[in-house]
Amino acid sequence: MRVFLTGASGFIGSAVIEELKAAGHEVLGLARNDANAAKLEAAGVAVHRGDLSEPKTLAAGAAACDGTVHCAFIHDFSQYVENIAIDRRAVEAMLAALEGSGKPFILTSGTLMADPGREATEEDGASADGPGAARGATELVVEDYARRGVRAMIVRLPQVHDREKHGLVTYAIEVAREKGVSAYVGDGANRWAAAHVSDVARLYRLALEKGQAGARYHAVGESGVPMRDVAEAVGRRLGVPAASITPEEAPAHFGFLAMFAGRDAPTSSRLTQERLGWTPTGPGLVEDLEPVAA
Ligand SMILES: NC(=O)c1ccc[n+]([C@@H]2O[C@H](COP(=O)([O-])OP(=O)(O)OC[C@H]3O[C@@H](n4cnc5c(N)ncnc54)[C@H](OP(=O)(O)O)[C@@H]3O)[C@@H](O)[C@H]2O)c1
């Protein structure tokens, strides 16, 4: 398959490139500047120039390929809602270009957006309120096109990690370094799901190859890691204490991350594992957060 990959220069896109190439697929990677174009070419990836804010450029890339994996996103959380709107327009343009083609399209979404407090499953539709609502609206666009002749699917990501990057925990590490304390909210019993980046990349490939139109897949290796365990591991990594803060203190401490920090979002991937024959095998989030042995 020739696959159009947006976000090809990013953390997850880079892993998806390796996974797709190893399975014999060709990749056309989106790059919005010369530096990333050169990086992709050096990795043996054909380059498509474009930008999320110019939807036609992405539609052209999608139309030129047998399948599309959408991993690009503008991670400026001070403009979160605006960036989601930009993303949605780009997704609409790509899907419109694929209407009636039967080709696969994978939207990247997130697990933290589900309703808090109970284990979310693939059967749960897009969240209608809370921090997930804006991005959840893009899931609805994908579900619409799944009924209009596109094998359109949703892959929901938890905190995706390796030894260097850890999803939103990467930002929590920056806050802990700056403030000299690794904080959790309340008793820190609230849980975030997680997955190793190699498992996530394999899931994208399996969905591309055999996923069903309209399906939601959860790339979840660990269904719920307590945030106190995460904060303590961050503390060990940085050599700073872990400590509880109140929900009222969270905005001043965490900044934009406060909207997620106290959220309890355990997430199942049981149906994904059954439906795609996917078995996560990578290390856990806390293991990947531990200090590098001297
Ligand atoms: N990592 C996680 O734990 C996690 C968890 C949940 C959801 N997600 C979602 O998964 C997707 C991939 O995340 P990631 O961790 O790989 O992010 P990342 O490392 O920040 O990569 C983002 C990608 O988007 C591209 N991009 C940014 N602005 C763009 C624009 N205006 N036009 C075109 N491309 C643009 C970047 O290109 P440049 O190199 O040119 O900036 C980069 O390739 C995103 O949708 C993210 O929100 C990730």
Side-chain angles (χ1 to χ4, degrees):
M1 211 185 278
R2 187 165 191 248
V3 181
F4 179 49
L5 175 64
T6 74
S9 57
F11 174 51
I12 291 162
S14 300
V16 171
I17 288 174
E18 295 311 313
E19 176 70 29
L20 291 178
K21 282 174 57 186
H25 299 295
E26 270 178 53
V27 180
L28 178 65
L30 179 72
R32 59 182 175 135
N33 57 41
D34 292 342
N36 280 338
K39 186 176 146 186
L40 292 179
E41 277 163 6
V45 170
V47 172
H48 180 83
R49 297 297 290 254
D51 195 295
L52 278 170
S53 56
E54 296 165 29
K56 280 184 189 164
T57 60
L58 274 71
C65 289
D66 308 308
T68 296
V69 176
H70 179 46
C71 284
F73 193 77
I74 306 171
H75 284 129
D76 171 0
F77 289 95
S78 67
Q79 308 278 320
Y80 189 54
V81 172
E82 293 83 346
N83 291 336
I84 288 170
I86 290 171
D87 184 61
R88 188 157 57 247
R89 286 194 289 274
V91 167
E92 282 167 347
M94 287 188 277
L95 286 167
L98 297 175
E99 187 166 358
S101 69
K103 291 178 183 177
F105 174 94
I106 299 177
L107 172 78
T108 301
S109 189
T111 61
L112 263 182
M113 305 186 318
D115 296 335
R118 68 170 176 87
E119 190 172 67
T121 80
E122 295 85 341
E123 304 291 301
D124 290 317
S127 52
D129 54 21
R135 214 163 170 182
T138 315
E139 291 193 2
L140 299 180
V141 174
V142 169
E143 289 173 10
D144 180 31
Y145 275 92
R147 296 184 287 267
R148 292 160 67 176
V150 184
R151 187 157 62 86
M153 299 163 271
I154 296 158
V155 168
R156 291 178 177 153
L157 300 184
Q159 306 316 304
V160 181
H161 56 87
D162 63 6
R163 293 289 287 158
E164 303 301 320
K165 295 201 171 181
H166 315 91
L168 290 174
V169 180
T170 306
Y171 300 98
I173 292 173
E174 284 171 22
V175 172
R177 187 178 284 122
E178 185 193 318
K179 303 258 162 101
V181 59
S182 178
Y184 51 90
V185 178
D187 62 4
N190 63 301
R191 297 151 293 175
W192 285 10
H196 191 266
V197 67
S198 59
D199 290 322
V200 169
R202 194 164 69 259
L203 177 54
Y204 277 101
R205 176 178 62 75
L206 290 170
L208 199 58
E209 291 174 349
K210 59 182 181 181
Q212 301 287 314
R216 307 180 197 101
Y217 297 116
H218 286 181
V220 167
E222 293 180 282
S223 63
V225 186
M227 289 307 286
R228 181 173 181 158
D229 293 357
V230 171
E232 288 176 347
V234 169
R236 287 192 294 277
R237 188 181 179 103
L238 298 181
V240 302
S244 168
I245 61 172
T246 64
E248 294 72 30
E249 290 168 330
H253 183 86
F254 280 118
F256 84 88
L257 206 52
M259 68 176 153
F260 302 112
R263 208 167 165 82
D264 187 40
T267 306
S268 168
S269 60
R270 186 181 59 80
L271 295 174
T272 299
Q273 296 192 38
E274 281 173 19
R275 290 170 182 167
L276 291 179
W278 175 72
T279 308
T281 59
L285 175 58
V286 167
E287 188 181 340
D288 262 349
L289 282 168
E290 293 296 348
V292 182

